[in-house]
Amino acid sequence: MISVEGLKVEFGVKPLFVDASFVINDRDRIALVGKNGAGKSTMLKILCGQQKATSGTVSIPNDCRIGYLPQVMNLQDDTTVREEAQKAFADITKMKERLDRMNQELAERTDYESESYLALIEKYTTEHERFQMMGAESREAELERTLTGLGFLRTDFERPTSEFSGGWRMRIELAKILLQKPDVLLLDEPTNHLDIESIQWLEQFLAQSSSAVVLVSHDRAFINNISNRTLEISCGRVIDYKVKYNEYVVLRQGRREQQLRAYENQQKEVAEMKDFIERFRYKATKAVQVQQKIKQLEKIVPIEIDEVDNSAMHLKFPPCLRSGDYPVICDEVRKDYGAHTVFDHVTLTIKRGEKVAFVGKNGEGKSTLVKCIMSEIPFTGELKIGHNIQIGYFAQNQAQLLDEDLTVFQTIDHVAKGDIRLRINDILGAFMFGGEESDKKVKVLSGGERSRLAMIRLLLEPVNLLILDEPTNHLDMPSKDVLKEAIKAFDGTAIIVSHDREFLDGLVTKVYEFGGGKVREHLGGIYDFLQAKKISELNELGRESSVSVAKQANSPMGWDKKSHGVGQVVPGDGTNDEALLKTLSYAERKEQQKRRNRAEKAVKESEAKIEKMEQRLKELDELLMQPENASDMVLVTEYTSTKSALDEEVERWEKLSEQLEEFQ
């Protein structure tokens, strides 16, 4: 599909890469790897035509469509989310206009037997078939499916893009690229702004996509789940491994060991030649042999060893005071922003030495609870910080607190104590500040570089409670390994807000899930949590019925379980109602009854909608089972949109039912 031959790129004296040659085939899933600065992003820009190589050729067929997601892009702010995503269908819209014009011409012409009329019919038929193959009829359903998969709510679709953060707008751009269904997808760090659920959705999407994929990512689990081939940029060369990422790591280790042995043999041979030359340089009888050795020495091409990361380096937090048995205790903690409740009834206890993860969709309150723990924002409820707690807190704004007039080395030297000061250069190298990078002033560093520097400072401070909010966003794999190993060896307690499954795997023993205004505790590691969650998602009917059973058991009201699995409220015995009414004034009772009546009405209306949609889904199922309707895109589109609407309504019913329970 895309052929790269003899590619060379030079920035300054040393080439970024030389003589790079490879081919991207249909349905390739390529992980493009290499240390930071090796040229991964540059390679993607060359493949999509945004940058020119110094020499070499990139051959792309004329009909090959490329979708490119860069790390940074200029975003528009003058449309809604839906309107911006619909720009992905510009080609389909133009094709629809052409088809309409041809259809109009066919209706107006009367020269049915002419060659031009027959040619027009053939052209219309071909275009219409292509139009249908592009999924034009179901594009709105695909748009909604893609946006919801990437974490947007349907209520977000009509909101202006200017109301969203940069990370969410990057999701819109990713949605547009996926909806265009290009032949080749070039994705540069697509998971940086995604939560775990969105990353899993993207994995499934790419696995089912017919596009070839070239991917740059520091999320090891993500690239391993997607890739079937790995291209490594190392020592200015591109090495092609026909295996997925995990297998590449093993092969690369074997390759490097071979290089080391060859390098050692070569160095031994060079040393022997130099020794011979020095010993016999001034002996006339050995003059010819000395000249031969000199010529041989000049012809030797030094063996290069693939660049090595410093992930094997061990780094430990300095000793600290022993904390109390329970560093964090939350009891009925609630946080509101105006009329919006971020979470309520949060009750949890984190014990000394535990490593726990806060996970969930963006905007569900993970960072908000962290700020409550840090006493940065007000809240209601009781939140206790244990005895002798020394908190080490990493958030994105920590990078803004660095002294801009210091160098990278000085920043770390000021906090390092004891023997660790002798290893500052090694530590900086492990976090991509090796060599001349350590002499840079903080004020010239990028946002990502400042975040890494703030992380290093935290690693050197004596703390017994670590709170890390998305610590891996700006770290490459070797740096993440160093950080992960340090946290595993950490004697204190750690709270980690992250969407990086590979980083959390083997690190945390408890997961707190944030969603729907609640915080739920899950014992076990991150993959135990994901496995259990995946089962509940696939078994939606079971989930709905379990919700109904739970409500029936806990509610003073009766629950009449209908065939569609959604409960209906029927009058209870009123015992609890009387006890409640005795404590209220007449005005309060009247207002309470009004709210209760509204809640009951909303639940019943929601149940009626669900029943109607489920009945329509059954009818559509029967229609689509008939052979003549199997390819009817109108029915398929209606089925998809009805199913999505049903899912949304069931979620709404659950929330309404929870609200109703508050009045029982």
Side-chain angles (χ1 to χ4, degrees):
M1 186 181 293
I2 297 180
S3 176
V4 177
E5 289 288 340
L7 210 62
K8 180 179 181 180
V9 174
E10 292 180 326
F11 292 127
V13 179
K14 187 178 179 181
L16 198 58
F17 38 77
V18 179
D19 196 27
S21 300
F22 56 91
V23 175
I24 301 173
N25 303 304
D26 292 340
R27 296 193 67 83
D28 268 348
R29 302 286 189 270
I30 299 174
L32 186 60
V33 302
K35 73 171 189 177
N36 278 37
K40 302 185 295 294
S41 296
T42 301
M43 180 65 79
L44 293 185
K45 290 176 183 176
I46 291 172
L47 291 175
C48 72
Q50 287 193 7
Q51 190 168 318
K52 298 294 183 183
T54 307
S55 61
T57 58
V58 178
S59 302
I60 304 173
N62 291 331
D63 60 347
C64 179
R65 295 176 302 121
I66 296 177
Y68 171 52
L69 179 76
Q71 285 192 46
V72 181
M73 60 174 60
N74 296 321
L75 302 166
Q76 299 291 328
D77 280 331
D78 56 352
T79 59
T80 65
V81 171
R82 184 187 293 276
E83 289 168 345
E84 189 65 28
Q86 284 174 337
K87 292 179 181 180
F89 302 125
D91 291 343
I92 294 178
T93 303
K94 291 178 182 177
M95 186 181 293
K96 180 69 166 60
E97 292 172 356
R98 290 199 304 270
L99 284 170
D100 290 342
R101 286 196 297 270
M102 284 190 282
N103 194 32
Q104 181 67 25
E105 186 179 349
L106 286 171
E108 293 174 352
R109 289 176 59 168
T110 57
D111 54 334
Y112 308 122
E113 303 298 328
S114 66
E115 290 185 8
S116 61
Y117 189 86
L118 295 175
L120 182 59
I121 290 176
E122 185 176 351
K123 183 179 179 182
Y124 177 85
T125 303
T126 303
E127 283 279 288
H128 191 264
E129 287 177 355
R130 186 170 165 229
F131 182 73
Q132 288 184 317
M133 288 175 65
M134 291 174 69
E137 300 293 345
S138 60
R139 60 181 182 269
E140 281 302 317
E142 286 187 20
L143 181 147
E144 293 191 4
R145 207 161 43 237
T146 303
L147 287 175
T148 53
L150 290 174
F152 290 93
L153 302 174
R154 283 181 170 78
T155 52
D156 294 331
F157 292 175
E158 308 308 325
R159 289 173 58 191
T161 58
S162 57
E163 293 182 5
F164 292 88
S165 66
W168 281 96
R169 282 181 284 174
M170 289 292 286
R171 294 192 192 205
I172 300 173
E173 294 302 313
L174 176 57
K176 287 164 60 177
I177 292 169
L178 298 180
L179 288 168
Q180 289 168 3
K181 298 181 180 177
D183 300 302
V184 181
L185 275 167
L186 308 176
L187 305 178
D188 197 350
E189 294 289 0
T191 64
N192 268 3
H193 301 286
L194 302 183
D195 49 46
I196 287 179
E197 292 183 356
S198 299
I199 291 173
Q200 286 186 304
W201 179 89
L202 182 59
E203 278 182 8
Q204 294 172 359
F205 182 96
L206 294 177
Q208 297 167 5
S209 171
S210 59
S211 304
V213 179
V214 182
L215 172 71
V216 174
S217 177
H218 290 148
D219 188 328
R220 187 172 299 173
F222 180 69
I223 63 172
N224 190 59
N225 290 340
I226 290 174
S227 63
N228 58 18
R229 182 177 163 199
T230 306
L231 287 179
E232 180 193 30
I233 302 178
S234 178
C235 296
R237 300 190 307 278
V238 175
I239 304 102
D240 192 353
Y241 295 83
K242 309 288 187 182
V243 294
K244 65 194 309 180
Y245 179 80
N246 273 1
E247 296 171 29
Y248 143 77
V249 173
V250 177
L251 292 176
R252 185 185 189 277
Q253 182 61 30
R255 170 191 171 89
R256 191 171 181 281
E257 288 173 359
Q258 290 178 349
Q259 289 175 337
L260 277 171
R261 287 194 293 270
Y263 176 80
E264 289 168 358
N265 291 335
Q266 187 184 67
Q267 291 301 303
K268 183 179 179 181
E269 183 182 354
V270 168
E272 289 174 351
M273 287 184 182
K274 288 181 177 178
D275 183 58
F276 182 90
I277 292 169
E278 288 300 321
R279 279 166 48 205
F280 301 110
R281 180 184 295 274
Y282 303 108
K283 286 197 175 183
T285 56
K286 299 285 187 178
V288 175
Q289 291 170 284
V290 168
Q291 289 301 315
Q292 287 176 342
K293 293 290 184 184
I294 291 174
K295 290 179 181 179
Q296 289 175 7
L297 195 59
E298 290 173 349
K299 290 179 181 179
I300 288 178
V301 178
I303 293 173
E304 287 186 299
I305 303 172
D306 289 347
E307 292 146 332
V308 191
D309 59 49
N310 294 309
S311 59
M313 188 190 76
H314 299 285
L315 186 62
K316 283 190 174 183
F317 285 89
C320 60
L321 288 174
R322 178 186 172 90
S323 72
D325 290 339
Y326 302 103
V328 178
I329 300 175
C330 295
D331 186 18
E332 294 294 316
V333 173
R334 175 184 177 124
K335 176 60 186 174
D336 298 300
Y337 285 116
H340 173 62
T341 300
V342 182
F343 48 69
D344 63 357
H345 303 299
V346 176
T347 300
L348 59 87
T349 300
I350 299 175
K351 299 176 183 177
R352 185 183 68 244
E354 282 189 328
K355 312 290 193 300
V356 305
F358 285 1
V359 303
K361 290 184 178 180
N362 290 351
E364 292 290 352
K366 305 184 298 295
S367 297
T368 301
L369 184 56
V370 165
K371 290 177 181 176
C372 292
I373 294 172
M374 294 297 300
S375 299
E376 291 185 355
I377 55 175
F379 57 89
T380 59
E382 190 173 3
L383 199 161
K384 294 181 180 178
I385 301 299
H387 178 64
N388 270 348
I389 293 297
Q390 296 175 310
I391 299 179
Y393 177 41
F394 176 83
Q396 296 304 315
N397 66 345
Q398 298 300 109
Q400 301 168 6
L401 305 179
L402 299 173
D403 187 338
E404 294 192 340
D405 293 325
L406 297 179
T407 66
V408 170
F409 184 91
Q410 289 169 340
T411 300
I412 302 306
D413 188 46
H414 284 187
V415 296
K417 294 180 176 63
D419 294 341
I420 200 74
R421 298 190 66 186
L422 302 175
R423 301 170 57 208
I424 290 178
N425 285 325
D426 291 336
I427 297 168
L428 291 174
F431 284 86
M432 300 176 285
F433 287 114
E436 297 177 357
E437 295 291 315
S438 65
D439 295 326
K440 281 185 176 180
K441 289 282 184 77
V442 170
K443 60 186 173 186
V444 303
L445 299 180
S446 67
E449 289 173 325
R450 291 189 184 205
S451 293
R452 294 202 306 274
L453 189 58
M455 177 60 68
I456 300 172
R457 279 191 56 180
L458 180 60
L459 285 171
L460 300 179
E461 294 175 358
V463 299
N464 51 30
L465 174 59
L466 268 179
I467 302 178
L468 307 178
D469 193 351
E470 297 291 0
T472 63
N473 271 1
H474 298 287
L475 301 183
D476 64 0
M477 291 179 191
S479 304
K480 286 196 288 188
D481 287 342
V482 173
L483 177 61
K484 181 174 179 177
E485 185 179 322
I487 298 173
K488 286 172 74 173
F490 178 52
D491 292 331
T493 310
I495 299 172
I496 305 164
V497 181
S498 179
H499 61 258
D500 190 328
R501 295 156 296 168
E502 182 71 23
F503 181 73
L504 295 174
D505 184 32
L507 182 59
V508 300
T509 55
K510 188 187 292 183
V511 176
Y512 288 100
E513 178 192 7
F514 287 67
K518 305 296 179 186
V519 179
R520 299 170 182 84
E521 180 183 274
H522 299 265
L523 299 178
I526 188 64
Y527 280 103
D528 296 324
F529 160 71
L530 290 175
Q531 185 178 10
K533 193 170 189 307
K534 187 174 182 182
I535 292 170
S536 69
E537 286 177 345
L538 291 175
N539 190 9
E540 290 184 8
L541 290 177
R543 175 177 61 81
E544 290 170 13
S545 63
S546 66
V547 169
S548 300
V549 171
K551 291 182 184 297
Q552 187 175 13
N554 298 325
S555 174
M557 306 286 283
W559 287 84
D560 178 21
K561 188 174 167 186
K562 289 193 172 183
S563 59
H564 51 71
V566 178
Q568 180 183 18
V569 180
V570 296
D573 60 13
T575 303
N576 290 345
D577 295 355
E578 291 177 4
L580 175 66
L581 290 174
K582 288 178 182 178
T583 64
L584 301 175
S585 68
Y586 173 77
E588 288 172 330
R589 291 202 304 270
K590 188 174 180 180
E591 181 60 29
Q592 180 88 349
Q593 189 61 43
K594 281 183 181 179
R595 291 201 300 269
R596 176 175 174 172
N597 291 341
R598 285 197 296 267
E600 286 180 346
K601 182 180 178 182
V603 168
K604 290 177 180 178
E605 288 176 350
S606 179
E607 288 169 353
K609 288 181 182 178
I610 290 170
E611 191 169 13
K612 185 177 179 180
M613 284 188 280
E614 288 188 335
Q615 181 59 39
R616 181 54 182 161
L617 282 178
K618 289 179 183 177
E619 294 171 359
L620 291 170
D621 269 330
E622 292 173 1
L623 288 171
L624 290 169
M625 288 294 289
Q626 300 171 12
E628 62 270 21
N629 295 328
S631 59
D632 190 330
M633 293 307 299
V634 175
L635 291 178
V636 172
T637 302
E638 185 184 355
Y639 183 91
T640 304
S641 59
T642 304
K643 182 67 170 63
S644 298
L646 175 61
D647 293 341
E648 185 177 357
E649 190 61 36
V650 169
E651 290 181 10
R652 179 172 173 269
W653 171 84
E654 290 175 354
K655 291 179 181 178
L656 290 171
S657 299
E658 289 176 0
Q659 292 173 8
L660 180 60
E661 282 187 346
E662 294 177 3
F663 299 109
Q664 308 308 323

